[in-house]
Amino acid sequence: MSGVLDPEQTGAAADPAAVKRHRTLFRAVRRRKNPPLRRTDITVTDEAAVKRAVKAASLGNGMEWFDFGIYSYLAVTIGHVFFPSGNATVQLISSFATFAVSFLVRPIGGMVFGPMGDKIGRKKVLAMTMILMAIGTFAIGLIPSYAVIGFWAPVLLIFFRLVQGFSTGGEYGGASTFIAEYAPDKRRGFFGSFLEFGTLAGYVGAAGLVTALTTLLGAGSMESWGWRVPFLVAGPIGLVGLYLRLRLDETPAFQKLEDESSHRASDAASNVETTAKGDLAKIFRNYWPTLILCICLVGAYNITDYMLLSYMPTYLSDEMGYKESHGLLILIATMIVLMLVITQVGKLSDRFGRKPLLMAGMLGFLFLSIPSFLLVKNGALWAVSLGMLLLGLSLVCMLGTMSAALPALFPTQVRYGSLSVGYNLSASLFGGTTPLVVTALISVTGTDMMPAYYAMAAALVGVIAVACMKETAQQPLAGSPPSVETQEEAAELVESQARSPRF
């Protein structure tokens, strides 16, 4: 065999004459590289456990975006309370800069919590992030105003925004990984869409609460004390989310990975090999092409997401002259429509694939951003609502698909860490800075069409990224065994891979 074939080569790459002479050897090599599935290799999901996992992960994600939504919807009020200035634009930019500052520590949170989630488990880390988020948000509601403690008011605000951002660094990557690893392969898009259903529910809850308080209390009371109420509500919500997460079992994929690891190495060796620093180095060294793809996908998705769900109420009030409550009501109506269709988008991604749905969303922003903003600038209620709906339907194609597509980019042993690092680097650079960048661009250029141009640029990057990614719908997660819903489906899968008898 010398000079003809390395034993690790497949028969397809070998010399045909050698394959003909040594059929048994080549068949054994192929089977060693691609062993047939056994029934014990396949995970049969427990539907009740899957639903509990989806509920706990989605509630945490909903709380995260409730917290961020509150801040963005109260941006003008927070600017008055914490950043006194004679210039309204300076106040608004200062407020959005504080919104953006929490995103600076998100990559650090991702680098800490992500590898930790791959080492000690998804469940424990998700409980930690929930506690930190609840503390950070609740504390903001207790900070005295600038008029009371002066310089320390914005300092404390920035500190607790950093606590929020640090905890968020481990939230999305963990929650999406948790659902993806629990869900059966053929319904991962459907169950994953509930994570972003939680996002929309958090935004709707925040916008609804802010609108109700503004209407009931008026601008004066909101500025003096009413703005605190939404932040204080986050404390009890966080305790409920923590309780739900602590009741969950670890994901089946991580349990299998742990079992295999315990057979491969002693505890001492495992501890040496799985330090956070070593895991991070491995992620950047071995998975950098996929990390870049993840960053591009998330960047395009985050810019369009924050532009519509965080910035638009401010755009409607500052640029279009709408009352703050009116702008929020239009956004709430748009988000409720998206909540009604998002799980159907998840089902469509299971049936037709992740790429077609993601591409539809990116192309929607690329070609519909200018018409949508022209409709918004029309000012009439029907035109503004239609413009927001066009952008919303483009966004929901991404919202309903991304939480199933992103975890599938990385193998199980580095999934939480890689996704947390890639997602949060991108969110830090592009997502959280969107309101600040768009506000500054409008101020510098003098054109209120800048949000449309910014969204189009992001969508163009997204189109290229989607074209480069592999389709992962209805396939097992990399590094994990197949996951099915019934014993019968598992038996069929084993049977389909069995070799046909030869006579």
Side-chain angles (χ1 to χ4, degrees), residues 321-333:
Y322 269 68
K323 286 185 178 180
E324 287 180 49
S325 57
H326 289 176
L328 282 175
L329 284 171
I330 294 172
L331 181 61
I332 288 170

Side-chain angles (χ1 to χ4, degrees), residues 185-190 290 293 297 345-360 397 400-410 464-478:
D185 296 334
K186 291 184 178 179
R187 299 182 72 196
R188 189 172 297 118
F190 171 68
T290 315
L293 177 62
L297 286 169
V345 172
K347 285 183 179 180
L348 287 175
S349 79
D350 284 328
R351 183 176 178 184
F352 297 109
R354 318 292 185 226
K355 292 183 67 169
L357 272 296
L358 290 174
M359 188 63 80
C397 291
T401 310
M402 200 68 80
S403 50
L406 293 176
L409 294 175
F410 302 100
I464 297 169
V466 173
C468 293
M469 69 180 282
K470 293 178 181 177
E471 183 57 73
T472 56
Q474 299 198 21
Q475 298 174 20
L477 292 169

Side-chain angles (χ1 to χ4, degrees), residues 59 128 182:
L59 179 64
M128 288 186 227
Y182 254 108

Side-chain angles (χ1 to χ4, degrees), residues 86-208:
N87 188 317
T89 302
V90 171
Q91 283 185 330
L92 186 61
I93 289 177
S94 298
S95 180
F96 277 139
T98 309
F99 177 81
V101 78
S102 69
F103 284 79
L104 296 178
V105 294
R106 279 184 65 162
I108 300 173
M111 291 177 189
V112 171
F113 288 122
M116 193 186 298
D118 286 326
K119 182 179 178 182
I120 67 173
R122 285 69 164 116
K123 170 185 167 179
K124 294 174 185 174
V125 175
L126 283 173
M128 288 186 227
T129 62
M130 178 67 79
I131 293 168
L132 278 176
M133 176 60 78
I135 290 171
T137 307
F138 188 79
I140 288 174
L142 300 175
I143 301 172
S145 68
Y146 187 92
V148 176
I149 61 171
F151 165 77
W152 289 105
V155 169
L156 287 172
L157 177 65
I158 289 170
F159 173 76
F160 287 114
R161 288 291 294 162
L162 291 173
V163 171
Q164 284 184 317
F166 184 73
S167 69
T168 307
E171 175 62 37
Y172 184 89
S176 57
T177 293
F178 204 80
I179 292 178
E181 291 184 349
Y182 254 108
D185 296 334
K186 291 184 178 179
R187 299 182 72 196
R188 189 172 297 118
F190 171 68
F191 285 116
S193 66
F194 280 94
L195 188 66
E196 298 297 356
F197 181 91
T199 298
L200 292 171
Y203 273 124
V204 168

Side-chain angles (χ1 to χ4, degrees), residues 165-487:
F166 184 73
S167 69
T168 307
E171 175 62 37
Y172 184 89
S176 57
T177 293
F178 204 80
I179 292 178
E181 291 184 349
Y182 254 108
D185 296 334
K186 291 184 178 179
R187 299 182 72 196
R188 189 172 297 118
F190 171 68
F191 285 116
S193 66
F194 280 94
L195 188 66
E196 298 297 356
F197 181 91
T199 298
L200 292 171
Y203 273 124
V204 168
L209 184 54
V210 169
T211 303
L213 288 170
T214 303
T215 304
L216 291 171
L217 301 178
S221 296
M222 276 298 289
E223 198 165 308
S224 63
W225 62 272
W227 67 271
R228 299 181 185 277
V229 175
F231 290 99
L232 297 177
V233 166
I237 295 176
L239 291 176
V240 173
L242 179 62
Y243 170 73
L244 287 174
R245 287 188 171 181
L246 289 175
R247 289 180 63 231
L248 293 171
D249 294 324
E250 192 51 82
T251 68
F254 184 79
Q255 287 180 11
K256 289 204 172 191
L257 185 67
E258 265 196 321
D259 291 341
E260 290 171 6
S261 297
S262 66
H263 288 120
R264 282 198 304 264
S266 67
D267 290 341
S270 295
N271 288 336
V272 169
E273 291 172 4
T274 57
T275 61
K277 185 177 178 183
D279 287 347
L280 276 176
K282 183 169 73 173
I283 288 169
F284 283 108
R285 183 175 62 250
N286 297 343
Y287 300 99
W288 63 266
T290 315
L291 269 179
I292 292 173
L293 177 62
C294 178
I295 288 169
C296 291
L297 286 169
V298 173
Y301 156 60
N302 265 264
I303 286 173
T304 52
D305 184 285
Y306 283 99
M307 190 268 293
L308 180 62
L309 302 186
S310 293
Y311 174 73
M312 282 305 288
T314 303
Y315 180 84
L316 291 172
S317 61
D318 277 23
E319 304 299 328
M320 303 302 303
Y322 269 68
K323 286 185 178 180
E324 287 180 49
S325 57
H326 289 176
L328 282 175
L329 284 171
I330 294 172
L331 181 61
I332 288 170
T334 303
M335 289 192 291
I336 288 173
V337 172
L338 303 191
M339 288 174 71
L340 293 174
V341 302
I342 190 167
T343 55
Q344 299 306 311
V345 172
K347 285 183 179 180
L348 287 175
S349 79
D350 284 328
R351 183 176 178 184
F352 297 109
R354 318 292 185 226
K355 292 183 67 169
L357 272 296
L358 290 174
M359 188 63 80
M362 300 295 181
L363 292 175
F365 273 102
L366 187 61
F367 293 111
L368 297 178
S369 288
I370 288 178
S372 297
F373 272 88
L374 289 175
L375 283 167
V376 170
K377 286 179 65 177
N378 177 280
L381 180 60
W382 71 267
V384 174
S385 301
L386 179 59
M388 295 276 282
L389 186 60
L390 287 175
L391 294 174
L393 291 175
S394 300
L395 180 63
V396 81
C397 291
M398 293 185 270
L399 283 174
T401 310
M402 200 68 80
S403 50
L406 293 176
L409 294 175
F410 302 100
T412 303
Q413 67 269 24
V414 294
R415 181 170 296 122
Y416 196 156
S418 300
L419 182 52
S420 294
V421 169
Y423 187 93
N424 289 294
L425 277 173
S426 190
S428 176
L429 291 170
F430 307 112
T433 59
T434 296
L436 175 64
V437 169
V438 170
T439 303
L441 285 174
I442 291 174
S443 179
V444 170
T445 63
T447 172
D448 51 12
M449 288 297 289
M450 284 310 300
Y453 303 145
Y454 196 52
M456 290 171 67
L460 183 59
V461 173
V463 166
I464 297 169
V466 173
C468 293
M469 69 180 282
K470 293 178 181 177
E471 183 57 73
T472 56
Q474 299 198 21
Q475 298 174 20
L477 292 169
S480 294
S483 179
V484 299
E485 292 184 88
T486 64
Q487 297 284 356

